[in-house]
Amino acid sequence: MGKSILLVSVGLTTGLTTVCSFGVGIPGNAITISSSARVANSPTTAGDGLKGEFWDVTGSIANLSVATSAIAGRSADATFTSTAVDYPNGSSNVVFDSSSLANLLGQDGNSLSGVTPVSLTGSVFRFSGFINILSSFDSDPGTDTIDVDFTVGSDDGFQLNIGGSTVSEFTGLRPFSTTSGIASFAESGLYALELIYFENQSFTGVEFSSRFSNGIVTTGVLYTSISDPVTAVPEPITLLGSLSALGIGALFKQRLQE
C-alpha cells in the first residue's frame, strides 16, 4: 500500500540533502529501522527528555561536515536537559545570535551547566537519548510497519539519526526552514535518537516535531537513558537453539544417572 503522507522539504540555500521528501505513494522513500536497532521494550513510565550538549566553535561553520569535525573528540562546553527540542520556546522560530544560550533554551535553561558563550554565533548542539515508538504513532496502518514522520526546523543545518540510521538532514546554511522524513519501524519499543544541529551566524533556531504529537515531540516519549523499569529486549530463541538446549540437558542428565 502506498504512503498517504505528503512531506514537503524546503531548502532556500545550497546544501540541501533530504533523505525523505515528497513521500506520496512511494514506500521506498521511508527509512527502514530494523528490529535489531530496538534497544528495549517500551518503558512503563514517562520520559525525562534528551541530553543536551553545546559547543562554542571558533570560525565559520559552513556545513554539517565542519560542525561534526569541530566537536569530534571534544567535550561539550555546556550541558543541559532538553525536555523538548523547541528553541526558542513558543511561537518564535529564531532568536538573534546576540541572545544568550539560557535565553534560547527558555525553561530548559534552568538545567544549564558549564561555560556559556558570549553569543550563539558558531554553535553546535547535540541532543541524544532514546525515543519510545508506539504502534499508535503509525501514519499508514495499511502496512505491517510503524511509519512515523519526523520534521526538523532549523537555521542553519542538522542531521537526525534514529536507530543508527539517518532519517533526514540539511547539510548547509539556510534561513529557518523545515525538512521532513519518514522512518518505518519493524516494531514498537525504545530506539536511540541523535539530533545534531549547527548555527553559523545571524539567527538561531531548531525544532523537532511529528504528526503523532501534533507538533513538537514532547518529553513523555523521550529518555536520557535506559534504566528500570525498562525491560531489556530478550535474545531471540530459535527452534534449533531450543532443541539443542534440550538435547544437551538430556545428555547431561543421562550421564549423571550413569
Side-chain angles (χ1 to χ4, degrees):
M1 180 176 177
K3 297 292 179 186
S4 58
I5 307 168
L6 174 62
L7 295 177
V8 180
S9 299
V10 180
L12 301 182
T13 60
T14 59
L16 175 63
T17 303
T18 306
V19 178
C20 305
S21 64
F22 300 99
V24 181
I26 311 176
N29 270 6
I31 301 302
T32 300
I33 312 296
S34 68
S35 297
S36 61
R38 187 178 68 146
V39 296
N41 295 325
S42 291
T44 58
T45 56
D48 58 347
L50 298 171
K51 177 183 179 181
E53 298 172 281
F54 169 85
W55 287 265
D56 187 14
V57 178
T58 302
S60 174
I61 307 177
N63 52 53
L64 180 64
S65 178
V66 173
T68 54
S69 295
I71 67 174
R74 175 183 162 189
S75 298
D77 295 315
T79 60
F80 56 95
T81 298
S82 175
T83 57
V85 181
D86 178 26
Y87 306 119
N89 300 162
S91 59
S92 297
N93 293 326
V94 296
V95 296
F96 286 107
D97 278 4
S98 57
S99 302
S100 68
L101 178 57
N103 181 61
L104 173 70
L105 297 178
Q107 62 181 7
D108 291 341
N110 295 327
S111 63
L112 185 63
S113 64
V115 179
T116 56
V118 175
S119 76
L120 297 172
T121 298
S123 298
V124 180
F125 293 77
R126 180 167 63 198
F127 307 94
S128 60
F130 305 90
I131 184 168
N132 186 22
I133 299 298
L134 303 176
S135 58
S136 60
F137 295 173
D138 191 5
S139 60
D140 190 355
T143 66
D144 58 2
T145 55
I146 303 172
D147 303 317
V148 185
D149 67 281
F150 295 101
T151 298
V152 177
S154 65
D155 178 348
D156 290 294
F158 77 94
Q159 182 179 77
L160 174 64
N161 302 306
I162 300 178
S165 297
T166 298
V167 175
S168 63
E169 62 182 8
F170 187 97
T171 62
L173 307 178
R174 66 179 179 181
F176 188 89
S177 307
T178 60
T179 302
S180 298
I182 303 172
S184 289
F185 298 88
E187 57 185 317
S188 60
L190 213 59
Y191 294 82
L193 182 150
E194 178 190 57
L195 173 58
I196 297 174
Y197 158 72
F198 68 91
E199 155 60 10
N200 186 42
Q201 62 180 6
S202 298
F203 296 95
T204 301
V206 60
E207 297 176 353
F208 176 49
S209 61
S210 180
R211 189 174 302 179
F212 74 78
S213 56
N214 294 315
I216 301 299
V217 176
T218 55
T219 313
V221 298
L222 303 174
Y223 297 78
T224 57
S225 61
I226 303 174
S227 60
D228 291 335
V230 177
T231 303
V233 178
E235 290 294 325
I237 299 176
T238 63
L239 177 60
L240 179 60
S242 298
L243 292 175
S244 297
L246 289 172
I248 292 172
L251 179 60
F252 181 69
K253 181 177 181 181
Q254 180 181 354
R255 290 186 173 178
L256 285 177
Q257 291 174 342
E258 291 176 352

